[in-house]
Amino acid sequence: MKNHKELARIKSEDEIAQAEAQIVELSKRIEFYLTEYSVELLASKMIKGEFVVPAYQREYTWEHDRKSRFIESLILGLPIPFLFFWEMPDGKLEIVDGSQRLRSIEEFVLGDLRLGELKSLTALSHFKFSDLPDSRQRKIKNRSIRGIVLNEHADEQARFDMFERINTGSKIANMAEVRRGALAGPFMDLIIELSMLPKFVALAPVSKKGLKEREREELVARFFAYSDGLEDYKDRPSEFIFNYVKKMNIEAADNPELANQYRARFQETIDFIERVFPYGFRKTQKGKATPRARFEAIAVGSRLALNERPGLVHDDIEDVKPWLTSNEFKTVTGSDGANAIARLQERTGFVRNRLLGE
């Protein structure tokens, strides 16, 4: 048996490396762990940069009233949703979900956030943290929020899936921001570039909310992913598009000419749509939105038709209004089961067939 002196000796670099390798290997079995932080510690870690806000969450979108309502809930001791993190190799935690809550906490406890009109704690309206007595400040700082930390070995797809699942039904439209942050690369750069083309902007109007959430980038990504084929599509568009952009980033890095080819393909399609479809992707001449199903039908359907008959780009096309305003088109671009592969193929095939006269 080793004596105390032998155990206490300074470890060699090989021993340290071996121990680290063992930690890494065994840690792979742990997918996530639970944690709990006090409000004081959360604010401190935020201001010190120990919690990292990823690129797709850097735009601070919460309005003042929402921040105030959250702080009011925190003070009242109401249940606060779990925070989700990814453990980075350097030990810092990337915020997968909860950046708005954490930034509100930091701004209130360590910054100058003055609460607005509160619905329950009306007497606390327009207070700053520093206006509160020391005893109340301590009680707020002592409150804790639970978190889930995803293992450092989880790749970007795992983090993306996690973000998507916990935001389903609330912020799922923001997947374009997630891809922009998680999949930086030449093909992603192309998507961003094309989303800002003046002609595309004119043909595909989006709301202020959609603009903030990079809806046009989502549309461009869908156009390329769906028109290139649906072989691996499993009725989960976010995962399909994520994997597609990831693959295309690699291909575009290996072949610089690829971006030019896809740029030309997109511009040709947009020129065709401008010429043939009187309202672009709008439902009406004065429409101010671009429904995704309608966009997919027209953009991908047009691309499929052009792939099959390139000369169509210059041919005279019969007026599309009759079938574009038909009940059949309204049905295939309806929202029921819109992401199912059968419905996606149905709506894109509808436009393709009409343009080809089939």
Side-chain angles (χ1 to χ4, degrees), residues 51-103:
F51 290 156
V52 178
V53 181
Y56 58 84
Q57 296 190 55
R58 282 177 190 156
E59 190 170 352
Y60 197 178
T61 57
W62 269 14
E63 66 280 0
H64 183 261
D65 286 347
R66 190 170 181 184
K67 287 186 279 187
S68 296
R69 287 197 300 273
F70 169 70
I71 297 299
E72 180 182 38
S73 298
L74 184 68
I75 295 173
L76 285 170
L78 296 174
I80 302 299
F82 273 65
L83 301 167
F84 287 80
F85 302 97
W86 170 63
E87 186 177 45
M88 303 171 70
D90 63 1
K92 293 183 179 180
L93 298 182
E94 178 183 288
I95 305 167
V96 177
D97 185 67
S99 66
Q100 307 294 346
R101 281 167 276 157
L102 288 170
R103 281 184 275 191

Side-chain angles (χ1 to χ4, degrees), residues 124 127-141:
L124 208 62
F127 267 62
K128 293 170 66 173
F129 186 74
S130 57
D131 294 330
L132 299 169
D134 291 345
S135 59
R136 179 52 57 187
Q137 290 186 25
R138 282 192 288 271
K139 289 176 182 178
I140 293 173
K141 287 180 178 180

Side-chain angles (χ1 to χ4, degrees), residues 236-252:
R236 290 190 62 198
S238 295
E239 181 177 326
F240 177 75
I241 298 168
F242 184 96
N243 290 331
Y244 172 82
V245 175
K246 182 177 181 179
K247 173 178 72 74
M248 294 303 294
N249 266 339
I250 296 171
E251 293 185 14

Side-chain angles (χ1 to χ4, degrees), residues 106-130:
E106 178 192 359
E107 190 178 349
F108 182 62
V109 176
L110 301 178
D112 284 328
L113 176 61
R114 185 180 295 279
L115 300 176
E117 291 288 341
L118 303 181
K119 293 183 178 180
S120 297
L121 298 174
T122 55
L124 208 62
S125 297
H126 310 299
F127 267 62
K128 293 170 66 173
F129 186 74
S130 57

Side-chain angles (χ1 to χ4, degrees), residues 143-352:
R143 292 202 182 281
S144 62
I145 299 178
R146 302 187 76 184
I148 293 177
V149 181
L150 196 63
N151 186 279
E152 67 174 290
H153 301 290
D155 61 15
E156 67 268 23
Q157 178 64 54
R159 282 132 60 197
F160 180 81
D161 287 343
M162 183 177 178
F163 183 88
E164 179 183 15
R165 287 174 184 276
I166 61 183
N167 281 284
T168 296
S170 58
K171 206 175 178 182
I172 195 65
N174 216 20
M175 288 301 101
E177 290 187 357
V178 181
R179 283 195 293 274
R180 175 189 269 245
L183 293 176
F187 197 76
M188 189 68 238
D189 291 342
L190 177 65
I191 289 174
I192 295 170
E193 171 198 326
L194 296 178
S195 73
M196 296 185 288
L197 283 179
K199 185 175 293 188
F200 180 58
V201 170
L203 291 172
V206 298
S207 65
K208 289 183 178 179
K209 181 176 182 292
L211 189 63
K212 181 178 290 187
E213 295 180 345
R214 310 187 193 284
E215 175 65 8
R216 288 197 186 93
E217 291 178 25
E218 175 72 22
L219 297 178
V220 176
R222 286 179 179 233
F223 166 76
F224 283 133
Y226 295 165
S227 60
D228 259 356
L230 298 171
E231 289 79 10
D232 298 320
Y233 188 82
K234 298 291 190 295
D235 297 348
R236 290 190 62 198
S238 295
E239 181 177 326
F240 177 75
I241 298 168
F242 184 96
N243 290 331
Y244 172 82
V245 175
K246 182 177 181 179
K247 173 178 72 74
M248 294 303 294
N249 266 339
I250 296 171
E251 293 185 14
D254 292 338
N255 177 17
E257 183 57 29
L258 192 68
N260 291 331
Q261 295 171 9
Y262 276 76
R263 182 182 294 106
R265 182 187 302 181
F266 183 80
Q267 291 176 327
E268 180 183 65
T269 307
I270 293 304
D271 288 344
F272 177 79
I273 290 168
E274 182 188 44
R275 180 171 71 86
V276 174
F277 292 83
Y279 308 139
F281 300 109
R282 300 174 176 87
K283 286 185 177 180
T284 64
Q285 186 174 5
K286 295 183 179 180
K288 297 181 180 180
T290 301
R292 286 185 180 177
R294 185 182 183 87
F295 170 84
E296 292 161 1
I298 295 174
V300 178
S302 295
R303 186 64 251 169
L304 295 177
L306 290 169
N307 288 347
E308 190 159 336
R309 192 187 301 167
L312 200 65
V313 72
H314 302 298
D315 291 350
D316 290 332
I317 308 293
E318 291 187 10
D319 186 8
V320 301
K321 282 185 181 179
W323 56 260
L324 200 60
T325 56
S326 68
N327 288 331
E328 188 178 359
F329 184 70
K330 291 177 183 177
T331 298
V332 299
T333 55
S335 59
D336 292 341
N339 291 325
I341 189 169
R343 293 297 308 278
L344 178 54
Q345 291 172 325
E346 184 180 24
R347 58 179 173 267
T348 57
F350 180 94
V351 173
R352 170 202 168 277

